[in-house]
Amino acid sequence: MNENKSGTPDAFTREFLSFTLGDEHYGVDILKVQEIRGYDSVTRVPDAPAYIKGVINLRGTIVPVIDLRLKLHLAEARYDSFTVMIVLNVEDRVVGIVVDGVSDVIPLAHDQVRPTPEFGAAVDTRFISGIGTVDERMLILLDIETLLDSADLIAEELEAAA
């Protein structure tokens, strides 16, 4: 946590796990992260949307795996030795998201987070909670609950099918 002038932690500082998708940097609340692991093969589930890669068995828990590139309508994902899966624990659910790479944990004070700009109907910004600014770099902060809620029904179907 950052400290203010009196030496006490700044109550408005939050930490985000920074990761990349292509050339862009994204952040997710570190408190939602359960673990970071290399991308393993997943068990495909028939008739799932393209962004649902399938499921994995994580120490007895069936975990749906979402390719974040495909979910956010970015360029086609590539899988290589740098591809990473971030396992998140959101609202008592465990889900994996596939990203290109993990950078580091970044503390952001309240004044370093800007509201999401309005793009009109052309761009869906429901999944973005704000834009973090770190030096000259911008970090797109994801509202992971909203992102995962949009996949909830599908993920529940996958868990039932696995």
Side-chain angles (χ1 to χ4, degrees):
M1 279 200 168
N2 287 353
E3 293 187 353
N4 60 25
K5 293 176 185 166
S6 67
T8 58
D10 182 350
F12 294 108
T13 299
R14 291 176 50 202
E15 292 184 322
F16 294 87
L17 178 67
S18 170
F19 60 89
T20 57
L21 293 173
D23 295 331
E24 300 302 324
H25 294 269
Y26 292 80
V28 64
D29 188 336
I30 192 69
L31 297 177
K32 308 284 186 206
V33 177
Q34 179 174 312
E35 67 183 88
I36 301 167
R37 40 187 300 133
Y39 179 72
D40 298 329
S41 60
V42 298
T43 302
R44 293 281 306 154
V45 177
D47 204 28
Y51 67 87
I52 302 270
K53 299 314 293 178
V55 295
I56 61 168
N57 185 339
L58 183 65
R59 295 180 293 280
T61 302
I62 302 303
V63 177
V65 177
I66 297 171
D67 187 314
L68 214 48
R69 254 184 194 266
L70 298 177
K71 176 66 179 158
L72 297 176
H73 305 289
L74 302 175
E76 185 67 31
R78 65 184 184 287
Y79 300 95
D80 57 28
S81 60
F82 299 107
T83 304
V84 177
M85 182 185 316
I86 302 171
V87 179
L88 302 168
N89 197 326
V90 180
E91 297 173 354
D92 298 323
R93 290 190 54 230
V94 179
V95 67
I97 58 172
V98 179
V99 300
D100 293 344
V102 172
S103 303
D104 50 12
V105 176
I106 297 177
L108 291 176
H110 183 68
D111 63 352
Q112 290 177 286
V113 178
R114 304 284 183 261
T116 306
E118 289 298 322
F119 294 100
V123 178
D124 186 356
T125 58
R126 289 178 301 155
F127 310 135
I128 302 172
S129 63
I131 306 293
T133 55
V134 183
D135 302 321
E136 296 300 312
R137 192 172 81 178
M138 289 197 296
L139 191 66
I140 300 168
L141 305 176
L142 293 180
D143 179 347
I144 205 68
E145 287 90 353
T146 303
L147 182 70
L148 297 180
D149 281 350
S150 71
D152 255 358
L153 294 175
I154 296 162
E156 287 172 8
E157 290 171 14
L158 289 179
E159 289 170 359

PDB file of all heavy atoms in Angstrom, residues 81-93:
ATOM      1  N   SER A  81       4.541 -20.576 -25.050  1.00  0.00           N
ATOM      2  CA  SER A  81       5.101 -20.833 -23.716  1.00  0.00           C
ATOM      3  C   SER A  81       4.854 -19.684 -22.747  1.00  0.00           C
ATOM      4  O   SER A  81       5.013 -19.842 -21.541  1.00  0.00           O
ATOM      5  CB  SER A  81       6.599 -21.113 -23.823  1.00  0.00           C
ATOM      6  OG  SER A  81       7.257 -19.991 -24.397  1.00  0.00           O
ATOM      7  N   PHE A  82       4.455 -18.507 -23.248  1.00  0.00           N
ATOM      8  CA  PHE A  82       4.188 -17.362 -22.386  1.00  0.00           C
ATOM      9  C   PHE A  82       2.718 -17.251 -21.988  1.00  0.00           C
ATOM     10  O   PHE A  82       2.370 -16.461 -21.116  1.00  0.00           O
ATOM     11  CB  PHE A  82       4.635 -16.059 -23.063  1.00  0.00           C
ATOM     12  CG  PHE A  82       6.091 -16.029 -23.363  1.00  0.00           C
ATOM     13  CD1 PHE A  82       6.541 -16.157 -24.665  1.00  0.00           C
ATOM     14  CD2 PHE A  82       7.025 -15.901 -22.351  1.00  0.00           C
ATOM     15  CE1 PHE A  82       7.891 -16.149 -24.959  1.00  0.00           C
ATOM     16  CE2 PHE A  82       8.385 -15.880 -22.627  1.00  0.00           C
ATOM     17  CZ  PHE A  82       8.827 -16.014 -23.929  1.00  0.00           C
ATOM     18  N   THR A  83       1.846 -18.001 -22.644  1.00  0.00           N
ATOM     19  CA  THR A  83       0.412 -17.937 -22.352  1.00  0.00           C
ATOM     20  C   THR A  83       0.168 -18.387 -20.920  1.00  0.00           C
ATOM     21  O   THR A  83       0.725 -19.375 -20.466  1.00  0.00           O
ATOM     22  CB  THR A  83      -0.371 -18.816 -23.337  1.00  0.00           C
ATOM     23  OG1 THR A  83      -0.065 -18.404 -24.670  1.00  0.00           O
ATOM     24  CG2 THR A  83      -1.869 -18.682 -23.112  1.00  0.00           C
ATOM     25  N   VAL A  84      -0.658 -17.637 -20.227  1.00  0.00           N
ATOM     26  CA  VAL A  84      -0.880 -17.851 -18.800  1.00  0.00           C
ATOM     27  C   VAL A  84      -2.373 -17.957 -18.517  1.00  0.00           C
ATOM     28  O   VAL A  84      -3.195 -17.339 -19.192  1.00  0.00           O
ATOM     29  CB  VAL A  84      -0.285 -16.665 -17.995  1.00  0.00           C
ATOM     30  CG1 VAL A  84      -0.549 -16.798 -16.515  1.00  0.00           C
ATOM     31  CG2 VAL A  84       1.200 -16.526 -18.259  1.00  0.00           C
ATOM     32  N   MET A  85      -2.699 -18.743 -17.493  1.00  0.00           N
ATOM     33  CA  MET A  85      -4.070 -18.797 -17.005  1.00  0.00           C
ATOM     34  C   MET A  85      -4.092 -18.183 -15.604  1.00  0.00           C
ATOM     35  O   MET A  85      -3.322 -18.586 -14.738  1.00  0.00           O
ATOM     36  CB  MET A  85      -4.588 -20.235 -16.940  1.00  0.00           C
ATOM     37  CG  MET A  85      -6.036 -20.306 -16.490  1.00  0.00           C
ATOM     38  SD  MET A  85      -6.667 -21.991 -16.253  1.00  0.00           S
ATOM     39  CE  MET A  85      -6.066 -22.849 -17.670  1.00  0.00           C
ATOM     40  N   ILE A  86      -4.963 -17.207 -15.427  1.00  0.00           N
ATOM     41  CA  ILE A  86      -5.166 -16.611 -14.110  1.00  0.00           C
ATOM     42  C   ILE A  86      -6.431 -17.241 -13.547  1.00  0.00           C
ATOM     43  O   ILE A  86      -7.491 -17.161 -14.166  1.00  0.00           O
ATOM     44  CB  ILE A  86      -5.330 -15.076 -14.194  1.00  0.00           C
ATOM     45  CG1 ILE A  86      -4.109 -14.439 -14.857  1.00  0.00           C
ATOM     46  CG2 ILE A  86      -5.571 -14.488 -12.807  1.00  0.00           C
ATOM     47  CD1 ILE A  86      -4.287 -12.960 -15.171  1.00  0.00           C
ATOM     48  N   VAL A  87      -6.305 -17.885 -12.395  1.00  0.00           N
ATOM     49  CA  VAL A  87      -7.461 -18.499 -11.752  1.00  0.00           C
ATOM     50  C   VAL A  87      -8.026 -17.475 -10.773  1.00  0.00           C
ATOM     51  O   VAL A  87      -7.326 -16.992  -9.877  1.00  0.00           O
ATOM     52  CB  VAL A  87      -7.075 -19.811 -11.039  1.00  0.00           C
ATOM     53  CG1 VAL A  87      -8.299 -20.418 -10.360  1.00  0.00           C
ATOM     54  CG2 VAL A  87      -6.461 -20.796 -12.031  1.00  0.00           C
ATOM     55  N   LEU A  88      -9.288 -17.144 -10.976  1.00  0.00           N
ATOM     56  CA  LEU A  88      -9.960 -16.118 -10.173  1.00  0.00           C
ATOM     57  C   LEU A  88     -11.020 -16.753  -9.286  1.00  0.00           C
ATOM     58  O   LEU A  88     -11.638 -17.748  -9.662  1.00  0.00           O
ATOM     59  CB  LEU A  88     -10.628 -15.090 -11.082  1.00  0.00           C
ATOM     60  CG  LEU A  88      -9.716 -14.360 -12.053  1.00  0.00           C
ATOM     61  CD1 LEU A  88     -10.541 -13.595 -13.071  1.00  0.00           C
ATOM     62  CD2 LEU A  88      -8.780 -13.431 -11.316  1.00  0.00           C
ATOM     63  N   ASN A  89     -11.220 -16.154  -8.136  1.00  0.00           N
ATOM     64  CA  ASN A  89     -12.288 -16.551  -7.237  1.00  0.00           C
ATOM     65  C   ASN A  89     -13.210 -15.352  -7.127  1.00  0.00           C
ATOM     66  O   ASN A  89     -12.870 -14.356  -6.496  1.00  0.00           O
ATOM     67  CB  ASN A  89     -11.726 -16.948  -5.872  1.00  0.00           C
ATOM     68  CG  ASN A  89     -12.726 -17.730  -5.060  1.00  0.00           C
ATOM     69  OD1 ASN A  89     -13.930 -17.486  -5.148  1.00  0.00           O
ATOM     70  ND2 ASN A  89     -12.241 -18.658  -4.279  1.00  0.00           N
ATOM     71  N   VAL A  90     -14.361 -15.449  -7.795  1.00  0.00           N
ATOM     72  CA  VAL A  90     -15.286 -14.322  -7.883  1.00  0.00           C
ATOM     73  C   VAL A  90     -16.655 -14.771  -7.403  1.00  0.00           C
ATOM     74  O   VAL A  90     -17.244 -15.685  -7.976  1.00  0.00           O
ATOM     75  CB  VAL A  90     -15.375 -13.805  -9.336  1.00  0.00           C
ATOM     76  CG1 VAL A  90     -16.323 -12.637  -9.429  1.00  0.00           C
ATOM     77  CG2 VAL A  90     -13.999 -13.436  -9.856  1.00  0.00           C
ATOM     78  N   GLU A  91     -17.129 -14.127  -6.352  1.00  0.00           N
ATOM     79  CA  GLU A  91     -18.463 -14.423  -5.822  1.00  0.00           C
ATOM     80  C   GLU A  91     -18.646 -15.931  -5.611  1.00  0.00           C
ATOM     81  O   GLU A  91     -19.601 -16.532  -6.090  1.00  0.00           O
ATOM     82  CB  GLU A  91     -19.542 -13.855  -6.753  1.00  0.00           C
ATOM     83  CG  GLU A  91     -19.483 -12.349  -6.863  1.00  0.00           C
ATOM     84  CD  GLU A  91     -20.435 -11.787  -7.910  1.00  0.00           C
ATOM     85  OE1 GLU A  91     -21.066 -12.566  -8.647  1.00  0.00           O
ATOM     86  OE2 GLU A  91     -20.548 -10.552  -7.970  1.00  0.00           O
ATOM     87  N   ASP A  92     -17.684 -16.538  -4.922  1.00  0.00           N
ATOM     88  CA  ASP A  92     -17.712 -17.966  -4.588  1.00  0.00           C
ATOM     89  C   ASP A  92     -17.674 -18.880  -5.803  1.00  0.00           C
ATOM     90  O   ASP A  92     -18.088 -20.027  -5.728  1.00  0.00           O
ATOM     91  CB  ASP A  92     -18.933 -18.303  -3.716  1.00  0.00           C
ATOM     92  CG  ASP A  92     -18.893 -17.566  -2.394  1.00  0.00           C
ATOM     93  OD1 ASP A  92     -17.790 -17.400  -1.846  1.00  0.00           O
ATOM     94  OD2 ASP A  92     -19.961 -17.154  -1.919  1.00  0.00           O
ATOM     95  N   ARG A  93     -17.205 -18.384  -6.918  1.00  0.00           N
ATOM     96  CA  ARG A  93     -17.024 -19.207  -8.113  1.00  0.00           C
ATOM     97  C   ARG A  93     -15.560 -19.133  -8.515  1.00  0.00           C
ATOM     98  O   ARG A  93     -14.930 -18.093  -8.399  1.00  0.00           O
ATOM     99  CB  ARG A  93     -17.873 -18.689  -9.270  1.00  0.00           C
ATOM    100  CG  ARG A  93     -19.349 -18.912  -9.045  1.00  0.00           C
ATOM    101  CD  ARG A  93     -20.160 -18.613 -10.295  1.00  0.00           C
ATOM    102  NE  ARG A  93     -19.667 -19.359 -11.413  1.00  0.00           N
ATOM    103  CZ  ARG A  93     -19.379 -18.808 -12.596  1.00  0.00           C
ATOM    104  NH1 ARG A  93     -19.535 -17.541 -12.806  1.00  0.00           N
ATOM    105  NH2 ARG A  93     -18.942 -19.565 -13.580  1.00  0.00           N
TER     106      ARG A  93
END
